[in-house]
Amino acid sequence: MEKNVILSLKNVSKTFPVGKSLFGKPKKFVHAVNNVSFDVYEGETFSIVGESGCGKSTTGRLINHLLIPDSGEVWFQGKEISKISQNEMRPIRKNMQMIFQDPAGSLNPRMRVSELIEEPLLIHTNMNASEREKVVNKLLKIVGLSDKHASRYPHEFSGGQKQRIGIARALTVNPQLVIADEPISALDVSIQAQVLNLLHKLQEEYKLTYVFISHDLSVVEMISDRIAVMYLGFVVETAPKEMLYQSPKHPYTEALLSAVPIPDPTLHKERIILEGDIPSTINLPKGCPFAARCSKSKPECLEKRPDTHEVEPGHFVACHLY
Amino acid sequence: MPQEILLSVKDLRTDFYSSKTSFVTAIQDVSFDIYRGEILGLVGESGCGKSVTSLSIMQLLKDTPGKIANGSAVLDGVNLIGASDAVIRDIRGGKMSMIFQEPMSALNPAMRIDKQMIETICLHQDLSKEQALAHAAEMLKKVGIPDPSRILKNYPHQLSGGMSQRVMIAMALSNDPKLLIADEPTTALDVTIQAQILDLMKKLQKEANSSILLITHDLGVVAEMCTRVIVMYAGKIVEMAPVEKLFANPSHPYTQGLIASVPKLGSGVKVLPSIPGSVPDLASMPSGCRFAPRCKYATDQCRTQEPQLVEIAKDQKCRCWLTQGE
């Protein structure tokens, strides 16, 4: 079956200036996202994983036009959107919504739930008040709340419920693509499972495409179809879920997977303990970004950035070992 | 082999006052022992009282609305609750020390690392400043900091998260504590750094045969580190068991739900079993069992009468009517 590409990033890079010299010119740059390319297919969950500072959230924002890339292209539904104006972007946003990490911080505390959820309808549709109310009540039910919640304010809800409101808000305009940036990491374990199950249910019902950004590899394994692993702003490995978890190729992916604590005391696995810290993104290493911490690094790794190779169908790795 | 008890906590109850007369009870009926040389896990979700338990033991509620209403915590024959400031100051940082979740906010930002470490060391050991500095460097080396003399001259903001957590650990261990209370020590860290820190804590604990009270919400960390586990829910202990038993055979429905709702690497499931509802508000606790409103096994008895924490098997205690019959 031919799969339709809904979103495509081509060699996208983004830097942020830090510090200023005497005449106001930025002295240094943080290289947040470097040469990132991937395709996302319709109806799948594509996850971006990595540790803090690896550029996964920046990538999410670049997709959503909240940030403009320095170079490279972002294609969404057959249209290059990285260089268009905010006005041109607005109708496109209807098809591309976002769920944020901190449900408390992303909901306006002075707006009632009904106002919060209907806001996208005001912007993107011409519905009248009663039509909007209908949509709001329907959405509240879908995300597991009830219409009696509509007149309340965000502070009256628990974290899990707030995240449900955030999800309802993202779904009001029937988007095709939902970018979820760490949607469950601020929640408690028992609530995480509830919200994950809700996201899964919604995907099946509405044929949503998710770009799921997370640092939690166990969660990512559950929800994803394909995964990109990021390190220091580079995508080091992209693969379908089974391939990535069963035969990780990049040494960083291996170490990352091995570092996840498993809730099973009878299991005593041999861990790969990485040495040292993540290098600074201001002065990127000349060679492979992971070379300094890699146990398999060769002299070549310190000198030359590895290209991305397809090691098996659909499995891409940027490493000199392959 | 009978194990030697290091810390014994009995009937601990802590209230938080919102005004002079109105208060909520954050933890109640908390009783447990920590044995010498073990890592005891304390798990539960946010608001279940795990941090309040540790702060109550450490006597760190002085300038908060929190007040210990009842109970005792005996460390090596000294009851910490109600002990004088001088006694506590002598024990805290010496026999018993603590690592916090946020290494960045637990270190003094305006003080160089060497000064902070020397201060702790000199407070508890009879050493000169030079000796204390040498000891500090030695401790930093122990926790895997490659260049101690440079790090000692740094301020906390110059360190990464993993690095400052190492400094915290070095500082906490610098006076050979018998008991280390670690409150979510790796929650703010990335997985690869978490693996480093956990590995380190386990190694140092074994070397010194000290005890750790490890507070966490991450069951993966518990499975990896602990010998025994306490599960708390809504301010009370609901289950206590050796780690293998707890994971193989959880008795309390909350523990069962908690373990089931954690995605396991490699399990291949798409939909997780989840616990419906959310944690009750401290100000309006349900009567009867506190978990009853979310429990699929709840009976009328559960909704009206509160169960006690009783021994249901060797080394295993549970607070649930189902496991104890009438």
PDB file of all heavy atoms in Angstrom, chain A residues 51-52 188 190 194 197 200 218 221-222 261-265 271 274 276-277, chain B residues 45-46 160 190 192 194 196 223-224 247 263 265-266 269-270 272 275 277 294:
ATOM      1  N   GLU A  51      16.942  13.306  24.763  1.00  0.00           N
ATOM      2  CA  GLU A  51      17.050  13.871  26.097  1.00  0.00           C
ATOM      3  C   GLU A  51      16.866  15.385  26.028  1.00  0.00           C
ATOM      4  O   GLU A  51      16.771  15.951  24.954  1.00  0.00           O
ATOM      5  CB  GLU A  51      18.404  13.499  26.689  1.00  0.00           C
ATOM      6  CG  GLU A  51      18.571  11.999  26.772  1.00  0.00           C
ATOM      7  CD  GLU A  51      19.906  11.618  27.363  1.00  0.00           C
ATOM      8  OE1 GLU A  51      20.906  11.627  26.639  1.00  0.00           O
ATOM      9  OE2 GLU A  51      19.938  11.324  28.548  1.00  0.00           O
ATOM     10  N   SER A  52      16.864  16.018  27.194  1.00  0.00           N
ATOM     11  CA  SER A  52      16.610  17.454  27.184  1.00  0.00           C
ATOM     12  C   SER A  52      17.695  18.169  26.390  1.00  0.00           C
ATOM     13  O   SER A  52      18.868  17.812  26.451  1.00  0.00           O
ATOM     14  CB  SER A  52      16.530  18.006  28.602  1.00  0.00           C
ATOM     15  OG  SER A  52      17.505  17.442  29.416  1.00  0.00           O
ATOM     16  N   ASP A 188       0.691  12.230  36.662  1.00  0.00           N
ATOM     17  CA  ASP A 188       1.003  11.062  37.476  1.00  0.00           C
ATOM     18  C   ASP A 188       0.820   9.772  36.684  1.00  0.00           C
ATOM     19  O   ASP A 188       0.069   9.732  35.722  1.00  0.00           O
ATOM     20  CB  ASP A 188       0.058  11.022  38.673  1.00  0.00           C
ATOM     21  CG  ASP A 188       0.661  11.739  39.850  1.00  0.00           C
ATOM     22  OD1 ASP A 188       1.865  11.569  40.060  1.00  0.00           O
ATOM     23  OD2 ASP A 188      -0.066  12.457  40.547  1.00  0.00           O
ATOM     24  N   SER A 190      -0.797   6.950  37.056  1.00  0.00           N
ATOM     25  CA  SER A 190      -2.106   6.361  36.780  1.00  0.00           C
ATOM     26  C   SER A 190      -2.908   7.251  35.822  1.00  0.00           C
ATOM     27  O   SER A 190      -3.757   6.774  35.078  1.00  0.00           O
ATOM     28  CB  SER A 190      -2.882   6.136  38.079  1.00  0.00           C
ATOM     29  OG  SER A 190      -3.301   7.355  38.628  1.00  0.00           O
ATOM     30  N   GLN A 194      -4.382   6.905  31.483  1.00  0.00           N
ATOM     31  CA  GLN A 194      -5.694   7.369  31.018  1.00  0.00           C
ATOM     32  C   GLN A 194      -5.560   8.245  29.771  1.00  0.00           C
ATOM     33  O   GLN A 194      -6.258   8.055  28.781  1.00  0.00           O
ATOM     34  CB  GLN A 194      -6.379   8.213  32.101  1.00  0.00           C
ATOM     35  CG  GLN A 194      -6.851   7.444  33.310  1.00  0.00           C
ATOM     36  CD  GLN A 194      -7.431   8.393  34.368  1.00  0.00           C
ATOM     37  OE1 GLN A 194      -7.612   9.575  34.123  1.00  0.00           O
ATOM     38  NE2 GLN A 194      -7.724   7.854  35.541  1.00  0.00           N
ATOM     39  N   ASN A 197      -4.351   6.357  26.645  1.00  0.00           N
ATOM     40  CA  ASN A 197      -5.430   5.575  26.058  1.00  0.00           C
ATOM     41  C   ASN A 197      -6.399   6.462  25.284  1.00  0.00           C
ATOM     42  O   ASN A 197      -6.886   6.093  24.218  1.00  0.00           O
ATOM     43  CB  ASN A 197      -6.196   4.811  27.146  1.00  0.00           C
ATOM     44  CG  ASN A 197      -5.361   3.685  27.733  1.00  0.00           C
ATOM     45  OD1 ASN A 197      -4.345   3.302  27.158  1.00  0.00           O
ATOM     46  ND2 ASN A 197      -5.770   3.165  28.869  1.00  0.00           N
ATOM     47  N   HIS A 200      -4.891   7.380  21.981  1.00  0.00           N
ATOM     48  CA  HIS A 200      -4.955   6.225  21.092  1.00  0.00           C
ATOM     49  C   HIS A 200      -6.353   6.071  20.507  1.00  0.00           C
ATOM     50  O   HIS A 200      -6.533   5.846  19.305  1.00  0.00           O
ATOM     51  CB  HIS A 200      -4.563   4.972  21.887  1.00  0.00           C
ATOM     52  CG  HIS A 200      -4.522   3.737  21.065  1.00  0.00           C
ATOM     53  ND1 HIS A 200      -3.592   3.518  20.093  1.00  0.00           N
ATOM     54  CD2 HIS A 200      -5.329   2.653  21.064  1.00  0.00           C
ATOM     55  CE1 HIS A 200      -3.806   2.363  19.525  1.00  0.00           C
ATOM     56  NE2 HIS A 200      -4.860   1.811  20.098  1.00  0.00           N
ATOM     57  N   SER A 218       9.510   4.157  27.045  1.00  0.00           N
ATOM     58  CA  SER A 218       8.477   3.128  27.206  1.00  0.00           C
ATOM     59  C   SER A 218       7.145   3.637  26.662  1.00  0.00           C
ATOM     60  O   SER A 218       6.390   2.884  26.057  1.00  0.00           O
ATOM     61  CB  SER A 218       8.299   2.721  28.662  1.00  0.00           C
ATOM     62  OG  SER A 218       9.397   3.047  29.438  1.00  0.00           O
ATOM     63  N   GLU A 221       7.301   3.666  22.829  1.00  0.00           N
ATOM     64  CA  GLU A 221       7.155   2.343  22.236  1.00  0.00           C
ATOM     65  C   GLU A 221       5.684   1.971  22.110  1.00  0.00           C
ATOM     66  O   GLU A 221       5.259   1.338  21.158  1.00  0.00           O
ATOM     67  CB  GLU A 221       7.872   1.282  23.079  1.00  0.00           C
ATOM     68  CG  GLU A 221       7.902  -0.046  22.344  1.00  0.00           C
ATOM     69  CD  GLU A 221       8.203  -1.219  23.231  1.00  0.00           C
ATOM     70  OE1 GLU A 221       8.094  -1.097  24.459  1.00  0.00           O
ATOM     71  OE2 GLU A 221       8.527  -2.271  22.678  1.00  0.00           O
ATOM     72  N   MET A 222       4.910   2.375  23.112  1.00  0.00           N
ATOM     73  CA  MET A 222       3.503   2.017  23.120  1.00  0.00           C
ATOM     74  C   MET A 222       2.732   2.701  22.012  1.00  0.00           C
ATOM     75  O   MET A 222       1.870   2.116  21.374  1.00  0.00           O
ATOM     76  CB  MET A 222       2.912   2.442  24.456  1.00  0.00           C
ATOM     77  CG  MET A 222       2.171   1.356  25.126  1.00  0.00           C
ATOM     78  SD  MET A 222       1.354   2.084  26.512  1.00  0.00           S
ATOM     79  CE  MET A 222      -0.119   2.620  25.721  1.00  0.00           C
ATOM     80  N   PRO A 261      14.939   2.296  33.173  1.00  0.00           N
ATOM     81  CA  PRO A 261      14.702   1.332  34.249  1.00  0.00           C
ATOM     82  C   PRO A 261      13.429   0.517  33.969  1.00  0.00           C
ATOM     83  O   PRO A 261      12.404   1.072  33.607  1.00  0.00           O
ATOM     84  CB  PRO A 261      14.506   2.200  35.491  1.00  0.00           C
ATOM     85  CG  PRO A 261      14.636   3.606  35.067  1.00  0.00           C
ATOM     86  CD  PRO A 261      14.676   3.662  33.588  1.00  0.00           C
ATOM     87  N   ILE A 262      13.523  -0.779  34.110  1.00  0.00           N
ATOM     88  CA  ILE A 262      12.391  -1.661  33.818  1.00  0.00           C
ATOM     89  C   ILE A 262      11.693  -2.025  35.124  1.00  0.00           C
ATOM     90  O   ILE A 262      12.345  -2.460  36.069  1.00  0.00           O
ATOM     91  CB  ILE A 262      12.885  -2.961  33.143  1.00  0.00           C
ATOM     92  CG1 ILE A 262      13.757  -2.646  31.929  1.00  0.00           C
ATOM     93  CG2 ILE A 262      11.706  -3.851  32.756  1.00  0.00           C
ATOM     94  CD1 ILE A 262      13.043  -2.170  30.731  1.00  0.00           C
ATOM     95  N   PRO A 263      10.368  -1.860  35.183  1.00  0.00           N
ATOM     96  CA  PRO A 263       9.671  -2.206  36.430  1.00  0.00           C
ATOM     97  C   PRO A 263       9.543  -3.713  36.614  1.00  0.00           C
ATOM     98  O   PRO A 263       8.451  -4.255  36.622  1.00  0.00           O
ATOM     99  CB  PRO A 263       8.312  -1.520  36.285  1.00  0.00           C
ATOM    100  CG  PRO A 263       8.123  -1.312  34.839  1.00  0.00           C
ATOM    101  CD  PRO A 263       9.472  -1.246  34.210  1.00  0.00           C
ATOM    102  N   ASP A 264      10.649  -4.390  36.736  1.00  0.00           N
ATOM    103  CA  ASP A 264      10.634  -5.826  36.971  1.00  0.00           C
ATOM    104  C   ASP A 264      11.896  -6.198  37.742  1.00  0.00           C
ATOM    105  O   ASP A 264      12.985  -6.245  37.181  1.00  0.00           O
ATOM    106  CB  ASP A 264      10.576  -6.573  35.632  1.00  0.00           C
ATOM    107  CG  ASP A 264      10.520  -8.074  35.833  1.00  0.00           C
ATOM    108  OD1 ASP A 264      10.614  -8.527  36.997  1.00  0.00           O
ATOM    109  OD2 ASP A 264      10.386  -8.797  34.832  1.00  0.00           O
ATOM    110  N   PRO A 265      11.747  -6.454  39.054  1.00  0.00           N
ATOM    111  CA  PRO A 265      12.940  -6.681  39.883  1.00  0.00           C
ATOM    112  C   PRO A 265      13.664  -7.989  39.568  1.00  0.00           C
ATOM    113  O   PRO A 265      14.811  -8.164  39.971  1.00  0.00           O
ATOM    114  CB  PRO A 265      12.389  -6.687  41.304  1.00  0.00           C
ATOM    115  CG  PRO A 265      10.935  -6.952  41.176  1.00  0.00           C
ATOM    116  CD  PRO A 265      10.508  -6.472  39.830  1.00  0.00           C
ATOM    117  N   ARG A 271      23.688  -2.932  31.872  1.00  0.00           N
ATOM    118  CA  ARG A 271      23.442  -1.593  31.395  1.00  0.00           C
ATOM    119  C   ARG A 271      24.641  -1.019  30.656  1.00  0.00           C
ATOM    120  O   ARG A 271      25.764  -1.289  31.018  1.00  0.00           O
ATOM    121  CB  ARG A 271      23.231  -0.729  32.621  1.00  0.00           C
ATOM    122  CG  ARG A 271      21.961  -0.062  32.621  1.00  0.00           C
ATOM    123  CD  ARG A 271      21.782   0.695  33.885  1.00  0.00           C
ATOM    124  NE  ARG A 271      20.570   0.256  34.511  1.00  0.00           N
ATOM    125  CZ  ARG A 271      19.434   0.168  33.871  1.00  0.00           C
ATOM    126  NH1 ARG A 271      19.340   0.475  32.613  1.00  0.00           N
ATOM    127  NH2 ARG A 271      18.369  -0.244  34.490  1.00  0.00           N
ATOM    128  N   LEU A 274      26.653   5.475  29.960  1.00  0.00           N
ATOM    129  CA  LEU A 274      27.390   6.455  29.171  1.00  0.00           C
ATOM    130  C   LEU A 274      28.234   7.313  30.089  1.00  0.00           C
ATOM    131  O   LEU A 274      27.834   7.624  31.193  1.00  0.00           O
ATOM    132  CB  LEU A 274      26.416   7.371  28.435  1.00  0.00           C
ATOM    133  CG  LEU A 274      25.718   6.811  27.221  1.00  0.00           C
ATOM    134  CD1 LEU A 274      24.852   7.880  26.618  1.00  0.00           C
ATOM    135  CD2 LEU A 274      26.742   6.335  26.211  1.00  0.00           C
ATOM    136  N   GLY A 276      30.126  10.897  30.980  1.00  0.00           N
ATOM    137  CA  GLY A 276      30.094  12.319  30.680  1.00  0.00           C
ATOM    138  C   GLY A 276      28.715  12.857  30.375  1.00  0.00           C
ATOM    139  O   GLY A 276      27.705  12.178  30.479  1.00  0.00           O
ATOM    140  N   ASP A 277      28.695  14.126  29.999  1.00  0.00           N
ATOM    141  CA  ASP A 277      27.459  14.839  29.753  1.00  0.00           C
ATOM    142  C   ASP A 277      27.269  15.113  28.273  1.00  0.00           C
ATOM    143  O   ASP A 277      28.179  14.933  27.480  1.00  0.00           O
ATOM    144  CB  ASP A 277      27.497  16.179  30.499  1.00  0.00           C
ATOM    145  CG  ASP A 277      27.094  16.017  31.943  1.00  0.00           C
ATOM    146  OD1 ASP A 277      26.228  15.166  32.199  1.00  0.00           O
ATOM    147  OD2 ASP A 277      27.654  16.722  32.795  1.00  0.00           O
TER     148      ASP A 277
ATOM    149  N   GLU B  45       1.889   8.544  44.044  1.00  0.00           N
ATOM    150  CA  GLU B  45       1.744   9.640  43.097  1.00  0.00           C
ATOM    151  C   GLU B  45       1.854  10.977  43.818  1.00  0.00           C
ATOM    152  O   GLU B  45       1.905  11.025  45.042  1.00  0.00           O
ATOM    153  CB  GLU B  45       0.401   9.514  42.398  1.00  0.00           C
ATOM    154  CG  GLU B  45       0.300   8.228  41.625  1.00  0.00           C
ATOM    155  CD  GLU B  45      -1.068   8.063  41.011  1.00  0.00           C
ATOM    156  OE1 GLU B  45      -1.986   7.616  41.692  1.00  0.00           O
ATOM    157  OE2 GLU B  45      -1.205   8.413  39.846  1.00  0.00           O
ATOM    158  N   SER B  46       1.830  12.057  43.055  1.00  0.00           N
ATOM    159  CA  SER B  46       1.993  13.354  43.710  1.00  0.00           C
ATOM    160  C   SER B  46       0.854  13.594  44.694  1.00  0.00           C
ATOM    161  O   SER B  46      -0.286  13.258  44.430  1.00  0.00           O
ATOM    162  CB  SER B  46       2.060  14.490  42.691  1.00  0.00           C
ATOM    163  OG  SER B  46       1.181  14.264  41.639  1.00  0.00           O
ATOM    164  N   SER B 160      26.245  21.230  35.015  1.00  0.00           N
ATOM    165  CA  SER B 160      25.056  20.666  34.379  1.00  0.00           C
ATOM    166  C   SER B 160      24.207  19.976  35.449  1.00  0.00           C
ATOM    167  O   SER B 160      24.636  19.815  36.593  1.00  0.00           O
ATOM    168  CB  SER B 160      25.471  19.651  33.325  1.00  0.00           C
ATOM    169  OG  SER B 160      26.057  18.540  33.952  1.00  0.00           O
ATOM    170  N   ASP B 190      18.004  13.336  32.799  1.00  0.00           N
ATOM    171  CA  ASP B 190      17.745  12.522  31.617  1.00  0.00           C
ATOM    172  C   ASP B 190      18.059  11.060  31.888  1.00  0.00           C
ATOM    173  O   ASP B 190      18.843  10.748  32.773  1.00  0.00           O
ATOM    174  CB  ASP B 190      18.626  13.009  30.464  1.00  0.00           C
ATOM    175  CG  ASP B 190      18.056  14.264  29.845  1.00  0.00           C
ATOM    176  OD1 ASP B 190      16.852  14.281  29.614  1.00  0.00           O
ATOM    177  OD2 ASP B 190      18.819  15.209  29.615  1.00  0.00           O
ATOM    178  N   THR B 192      19.898   8.740  30.475  1.00  0.00           N
ATOM    179  CA  THR B 192      21.270   8.229  30.491  1.00  0.00           C
ATOM    180  C   THR B 192      22.012   8.730  31.727  1.00  0.00           C
ATOM    181  O   THR B 192      22.835   8.023  32.295  1.00  0.00           O
ATOM    182  CB  THR B 192      22.054   8.641  29.224  1.00  0.00           C
ATOM    183  OG1 THR B 192      22.049  10.057  29.123  1.00  0.00           O
ATOM    184  CG2 THR B 192      21.454   8.058  27.981  1.00  0.00           C
ATOM    185  N   GLN B 194      20.404   9.524  34.547  1.00  0.00           N
ATOM    186  CA  GLN B 194      19.751   8.816  35.637  1.00  0.00           C
ATOM    187  C   GLN B 194      20.432   7.465  35.871  1.00  0.00           C
ATOM    188  O   GLN B 194      20.696   7.084  37.010  1.00  0.00           O
ATOM    189  CB  GLN B 194      18.273   8.598  35.301  1.00  0.00           C
ATOM    190  CG  GLN B 194      17.606   7.561  36.172  1.00  0.00           C
ATOM    191  CD  GLN B 194      16.093   7.556  36.007  1.00  0.00           C
ATOM    192  OE1 GLN B 194      15.416   8.495  36.350  1.00  0.00           O
ATOM    193  NE2 GLN B 194      15.571   6.480  35.475  1.00  0.00           N
ATOM    194  N   GLN B 196      23.480   6.681  35.238  1.00  0.00           N
ATOM    195  CA  GLN B 196      24.773   6.936  35.904  1.00  0.00           C
ATOM    196  C   GLN B 196      24.585   7.146  37.399  1.00  0.00           C
ATOM    197  O   GLN B 196      25.289   6.554  38.218  1.00  0.00           O
ATOM    198  CB  GLN B 196      25.422   8.211  35.358  1.00  0.00           C
ATOM    199  CG  GLN B 196      25.904   8.160  33.933  1.00  0.00           C
ATOM    200  CD  GLN B 196      26.419   9.525  33.474  1.00  0.00           C
ATOM    201  OE1 GLN B 196      26.344  10.526  34.184  1.00  0.00           O
ATOM    202  NE2 GLN B 196      26.956   9.567  32.259  1.00  0.00           N
ATOM    203  N   ALA B 223      12.175  -0.972  41.072  1.00  0.00           N
ATOM    204  CA  ALA B 223      12.498  -2.363  40.758  1.00  0.00           C
ATOM    205  C   ALA B 223      14.001  -2.568  40.674  1.00  0.00           C
ATOM    206  O   ALA B 223      14.539  -3.605  41.048  1.00  0.00           O
ATOM    207  CB  ALA B 223      11.838  -2.765  39.441  1.00  0.00           C
ATOM    208  N   GLU B 224      14.672  -1.547  40.187  1.00  0.00           N
ATOM    209  CA  GLU B 224      16.088  -1.665  39.981  1.00  0.00           C
ATOM    210  C   GLU B 224      16.894  -1.524  41.265  1.00  0.00           C
ATOM    211  O   GLU B 224      17.929  -2.140  41.428  1.00  0.00           O
ATOM    212  CB  GLU B 224      16.511  -0.550  39.048  1.00  0.00           C
ATOM    213  CG  GLU B 224      17.668  -0.936  38.229  1.00  0.00           C
ATOM    214  CD  GLU B 224      17.352  -0.647  36.788  1.00  0.00           C
ATOM    215  OE1 GLU B 224      16.625  -1.421  36.144  1.00  0.00           O
ATOM    216  OE2 GLU B 224      17.834   0.367  36.333  1.00  0.00           O
ATOM    217  N   PHE B 247       6.125  -6.793  43.021  1.00  0.00           N
ATOM    218  CA  PHE B 247       5.910  -6.787  41.582  1.00  0.00           C
ATOM    219  C   PHE B 247       5.266  -8.082  41.095  1.00  0.00           C
ATOM    220  O   PHE B 247       4.455  -8.076  40.175  1.00  0.00           O
ATOM    221  CB  PHE B 247       7.227  -6.528  40.836  1.00  0.00           C
ATOM    222  CG  PHE B 247       7.605  -5.078  40.828  1.00  0.00           C
ATOM    223  CD1 PHE B 247       8.381  -4.538  41.835  1.00  0.00           C
ATOM    224  CD2 PHE B 247       7.160  -4.242  39.813  1.00  0.00           C
ATOM    225  CE1 PHE B 247       8.720  -3.190  41.835  1.00  0.00           C
ATOM    226  CE2 PHE B 247       7.491  -2.901  39.808  1.00  0.00           C
ATOM    227  CZ  PHE B 247       8.274  -2.372  40.820  1.00  0.00           C
ATOM    228  N   PRO B 263       3.768   1.660  31.306  1.00  0.00           N
ATOM    229  CA  PRO B 263       4.163   0.978  30.080  1.00  0.00           C
ATOM    230  C   PRO B 263       5.529   0.327  30.259  1.00  0.00           C
ATOM    231  O   PRO B 263       6.448   0.930  30.783  1.00  0.00           O
ATOM    232  CB  PRO B 263       4.219   2.102  29.048  1.00  0.00           C
ATOM    233  CG  PRO B 263       4.217   3.369  29.800  1.00  0.00           C
ATOM    234  CD  PRO B 263       3.739   3.111  31.179  1.00  0.00           C
ATOM    235  N   LEU B 265       8.851  -1.484  28.655  1.00  0.00           N
ATOM    236  CA  LEU B 265       9.606  -1.572  27.412  1.00  0.00           C
ATOM    237  C   LEU B 265       9.516  -2.996  26.876  1.00  0.00           C
ATOM    238  O   LEU B 265       9.754  -3.948  27.602  1.00  0.00           O
ATOM    239  CB  LEU B 265      11.063  -1.208  27.710  1.00  0.00           C
ATOM    240  CG  LEU B 265      11.847  -0.526  26.609  1.00  0.00           C
ATOM    241  CD1 LEU B 265      11.192   0.773  26.229  1.00  0.00           C
ATOM    242  CD2 LEU B 265      13.264  -0.275  27.069  1.00  0.00           C
ATOM    243  N   GLY B 266       9.116  -3.128  25.607  1.00  0.00           N
ATOM    244  CA  GLY B 266       9.112  -4.444  25.000  1.00  0.00           C
ATOM    245  C   GLY B 266       7.867  -5.263  25.250  1.00  0.00           C
ATOM    246  O   GLY B 266       7.807  -6.432  24.893  1.00  0.00           O
ATOM    247  N   VAL B 269       2.121  -3.751  24.155  1.00  0.00           N
ATOM    248  CA  VAL B 269       0.695  -3.430  24.296  1.00  0.00           C
ATOM    249  C   VAL B 269       0.405  -2.066  23.689  1.00  0.00           C
ATOM    250  O   VAL B 269       1.263  -1.197  23.613  1.00  0.00           O
ATOM    251  CB  VAL B 269       0.229  -3.419  25.772  1.00  0.00           C
ATOM    252  CG1 VAL B 269       0.212  -4.817  26.327  1.00  0.00           C
ATOM    253  CG2 VAL B 269       1.074  -2.486  26.611  1.00  0.00           C
ATOM    254  N   LYS B 270      -0.843  -1.902  23.246  1.00  0.00           N
ATOM    255  CA  LYS B 270      -1.259  -0.621  22.667  1.00  0.00           C
ATOM    256  C   LYS B 270      -2.124   0.158  23.638  1.00  0.00           C
ATOM    257  O   LYS B 270      -2.117   1.380  23.657  1.00  0.00           O
ATOM    258  CB  LYS B 270      -2.025  -0.870  21.360  1.00  0.00           C
ATOM    259  CG  LYS B 270      -1.117  -1.054  20.161  1.00  0.00           C
ATOM    260  CD  LYS B 270      -1.248   0.119  19.210  1.00  0.00           C
ATOM    261  CE  LYS B 270      -0.083   0.161  18.229  1.00  0.00           C
ATOM    262  NZ  LYS B 270      -0.037   1.369  17.456  1.00  0.00           N
ATOM    263  N   LEU B 272      -3.247   0.578  27.682  1.00  0.00           N
ATOM    264  CA  LEU B 272      -2.856   0.230  29.045  1.00  0.00           C
ATOM    265  C   LEU B 272      -4.084   0.133  29.936  1.00  0.00           C
ATOM    266  O   LEU B 272      -5.008   0.923  29.798  1.00  0.00           O
ATOM    267  CB  LEU B 272      -1.990   1.343  29.615  1.00  0.00           C
ATOM    268  CG  LEU B 272      -0.550   1.433  29.183  1.00  0.00           C
ATOM    269  CD1 LEU B 272       0.041   2.689  29.752  1.00  0.00           C
ATOM    270  CD2 LEU B 272       0.230   0.236  29.667  1.00  0.00           C
ATOM    271  N   ILE B 275      -6.177   3.330  36.064  1.00  0.00           N
ATOM    272  CA  ILE B 275      -7.032   3.491  37.228  1.00  0.00           C
ATOM    273  C   ILE B 275      -7.979   4.650  36.940  1.00  0.00           C
ATOM    274  O   ILE B 275      -7.510   5.743  36.635  1.00  0.00           O
ATOM    275  CB  ILE B 275      -6.191   3.801  38.486  1.00  0.00           C
ATOM    276  CG1 ILE B 275      -5.073   2.767  38.633  1.00  0.00           C
ATOM    277  CG2 ILE B 275      -7.067   3.833  39.726  1.00  0.00           C
ATOM    278  CD1 ILE B 275      -4.110   3.073  39.762  1.00  0.00           C
ATOM    279  N   GLY B 277     -10.584   7.817  37.517  1.00  0.00           N
ATOM    280  CA  GLY B 277     -10.657   8.882  38.523  1.00  0.00           C
ATOM    281  C   GLY B 277      -9.298   9.442  38.871  1.00  0.00           C
ATOM    282  O   GLY B 277      -8.301   9.165  38.217  1.00  0.00           O
ATOM    283  N   ARG B 294     -12.137   4.712  43.637  1.00  0.00           N
ATOM    284  CA  ARG B 294     -11.482   4.374  42.364  1.00  0.00           C
ATOM    285  C   ARG B 294     -11.304   2.869  42.200  1.00  0.00           C
ATOM    286  O   ARG B 294     -10.733   2.422  41.209  1.00  0.00           O
ATOM    287  CB  ARG B 294     -10.099   5.040  42.290  1.00  0.00           C
ATOM    288  CG  ARG B 294     -10.141   6.552  42.358  1.00  0.00           C
ATOM    289  CD  ARG B 294      -8.740   7.136  42.377  1.00  0.00           C
ATOM    290  NE  ARG B 294      -8.089   7.091  41.072  1.00  0.00           N
ATOM    291  CZ  ARG B 294      -6.817   7.400  40.883  1.00  0.00           C
ATOM    292  NH1 ARG B 294      -6.068   7.769  41.904  1.00  0.00           N
ATOM    293  NH2 ARG B 294      -6.288   7.348  39.679  1.00  0.00           N
TER     294      ARG B 294
END
